[in-house]
Amino acid sequence: MFDFVEKIGGKKLGFFAAGVLFGTAGVKLLSSRDAKKCYTNCTAAVLRAKDCVMKTVTTVQENAEDIYAEAQQMNEDRAAKETETVCEDEMVPDDNTFQGSAEI
Protein backbone atom coordinates (compact mmCIF):
# COMPACT_ATOMS: atom_id res chain seq x y z
CA MET A 1 0.00 0.00 0.00
CA PHE A 2 2.80 2.49 0.77
CA ASP A 3 5.10 1.38 -2.03
CA PHE A 4 5.52 5.02 -3.15
CA VAL A 5 7.32 5.74 0.15
CA GLU A 6 9.97 3.19 -0.75
CA LYS A 7 10.30 4.66 -4.27
CA ILE A 8 10.64 8.26 -3.02
CA GLY A 9 12.77 7.37 -0.03
CA GLY A 10 11.97 7.82 3.63
CA LYS A 11 14.65 10.49 4.07
CA LYS A 12 13.22 12.74 1.35
CA LEU A 13 9.72 12.31 2.73
CA GLY A 14 10.99 13.22 6.20
CA PHE A 15 12.58 16.41 4.86
CA PHE A 16 9.33 17.30 3.12
CA ALA A 17 7.31 16.76 6.30
CA ALA A 18 9.76 18.85 8.31
CA GLY A 19 9.52 21.62 5.71
CA VAL A 20 5.75 21.63 5.90
CA LEU A 21 5.91 21.72 9.69
CA PHE A 22 8.42 24.59 9.79
CA GLY A 23 6.49 26.42 7.07
CA THR A 24 3.26 26.21 9.04
CA ALA A 25 5.01 27.28 12.25
CA GLY A 26 6.72 30.09 10.32
CA VAL A 27 3.43 31.44 9.03
CA LYS A 28 1.99 31.41 12.54
CA LEU A 29 5.09 33.13 13.88
CA LEU A 30 5.19 35.76 11.12
CA SER A 31 1.53 36.64 11.57
CA SER A 32 1.66 36.96 15.36
CA ARG A 33 1.01 40.19 17.22
CA ASP A 34 4.64 40.52 18.31
CA ALA A 35 5.86 40.05 14.75
CA LYS A 36 3.49 42.75 13.51
CA LYS A 37 4.81 45.10 16.20
CA CYS A 38 8.36 44.37 15.05
CA TYR A 39 7.40 45.02 11.40
CA THR A 40 5.81 48.32 12.39
CA ASN A 41 8.91 49.44 14.29
CA CYS A 42 11.19 48.44 11.43
CA THR A 43 9.03 50.26 8.89
CA ALA A 44 9.00 53.40 11.06
CA ALA A 45 12.82 53.27 11.32
CA VAL A 46 13.12 52.94 7.53
CA LEU A 47 10.81 55.93 7.03
CA ARG A 48 12.90 58.02 9.46
CA ALA A 49 16.06 57.02 7.62
CA LYS A 50 14.42 57.93 4.31
CA ASP A 51 13.53 61.40 5.63
CA CYS A 52 17.10 61.94 6.80
CA VAL A 53 18.53 60.83 3.46
CA MET A 54 16.10 63.03 1.53
CA LYS A 55 17.09 66.09 3.60
CA THR A 56 20.75 65.39 2.83
CA VAL A 57 20.01 64.90 -0.87
CA THR A 58 18.07 68.17 -0.98
CA THR A 59 20.98 70.03 0.65
CA VAL A 60 23.49 68.55 -1.77
CA GLN A 61 21.24 69.35 -4.73
CA GLU A 62 20.83 72.98 -3.62
CA ASN A 63 24.60 73.33 -3.20
CA ALA A 64 25.17 71.83 -6.66
CA GLU A 65 22.70 74.30 -8.18
CA ASP A 66 24.49 77.21 -6.48
CA ILE A 67 27.87 75.99 -7.74
CA TYR A 68 26.49 75.58 -11.25
CA ALA A 69 25.00 79.10 -11.25
CA GLU A 70 28.26 80.61 -10.00
CA ALA A 71 30.25 78.72 -12.63
CA GLN A 72 27.94 79.99 -15.38
CA GLN A 73 28.32 83.55 -14.10
CA MET A 74 32.10 83.20 -14.02
CA ASN A 75 32.12 81.95 -17.62
CA GLU A 76 29.87 84.80 -18.75
CA ASP A 77 32.12 87.35 -17.03
CA ARG A 78 35.20 85.78 -18.58
CA ALA A 79 33.64 85.79 -22.06
CA ALA A 80 32.62 89.44 -21.68
CA LYS A 81 36.16 90.34 -20.57
CA GLU A 82 37.68 88.49 -23.54
CA THR A 83 35.28 90.22 -25.94
CA GLU A 84 36.23 93.58 -24.43
CA THR A 85 39.94 92.81 -24.83
CA VAL A 86 39.48 91.76 -28.47
CA CYS A 87 37.58 94.97 -29.23
CA GLU A 88 40.34 97.09 -27.68
CA ASP A 89 43.02 95.24 -29.67
CA GLU A 90 41.19 95.98 -32.94
CA MET A 91 41.01 99.70 -32.15
CA VAL A 92 44.76 100.13 -31.49
CA PRO A 93 46.63 100.76 -34.77
CA ASP A 94 49.77 98.79 -35.57
CA ASP A 95 53.05 100.46 -36.55
CA ASN A 96 53.06 98.51 -39.81
CA THR A 97 49.73 99.85 -41.08
CA PHE A 98 49.49 101.71 -44.36
CA GLN A 99 49.80 105.49 -43.78
CA GLY A 100 48.71 106.73 -47.18
CA SER A 101 52.08 107.36 -48.81
CA ALA A 102 53.32 104.81 -51.23
CA GLU A 103 56.78 104.52 -52.56
CA ILE A 104 57.00 103.42 -56.13
Side-chain angles (χ1 to χ4, degrees):
M1 180 171 157
F2 292 106
D3 291 337
F4 69 91
V5 174
E6 291 176 12
K7 290 180 182 177
I8 296 174
K11 191 174 183 180
K12 290 181 182 179
L13 190 59
F15 283 137
F16 176 75
V20 169
L21 179 65
F22 285 125
T24 305
V27 169
K28 287 284 190 182
L29 180 67
L30 293 175
S31 62
S32 70
R33 199 176 320 153
D34 291 334
K36 288 180 183 179
K37 191 177 202 180
C38 178
Y39 303 150
T40 304
N41 288 333
C42 290
T43 304
V46 168
L47 290 174
R48 286 191 304 270
K50 177 190 162 217
D51 289 341
C52 182
V53 168
M54 291 307 294
K55 286 178 186 177
T56 303
V57 166
T58 302
T59 302
V60 169
Q61 188 176 14
E62 289 171 353
N63 289 339
E65 289 172 356
D66 292 343
I67 290 168
Y68 181 72
E70 288 179 25
Q72 279 185 322
Q73 185 62 43
M74 287 175 68
N75 283 337
E76 289 173 5
D77 293 346
R78 185 175 183 178
K81 191 174 183 180
E82 286 178 0
T83 303
E84 186 178 294
T85 304
V86 169
C87 289
E88 288 176 3
D89 288 345
E90 290 176 359
M91 298 175 86
V92 175
D94 288 340
D95 291 338
N96 298 332
T97 58
F98 180 71
Q99 297 293 328
S101 62
E103 294 180 20
I104 301 181

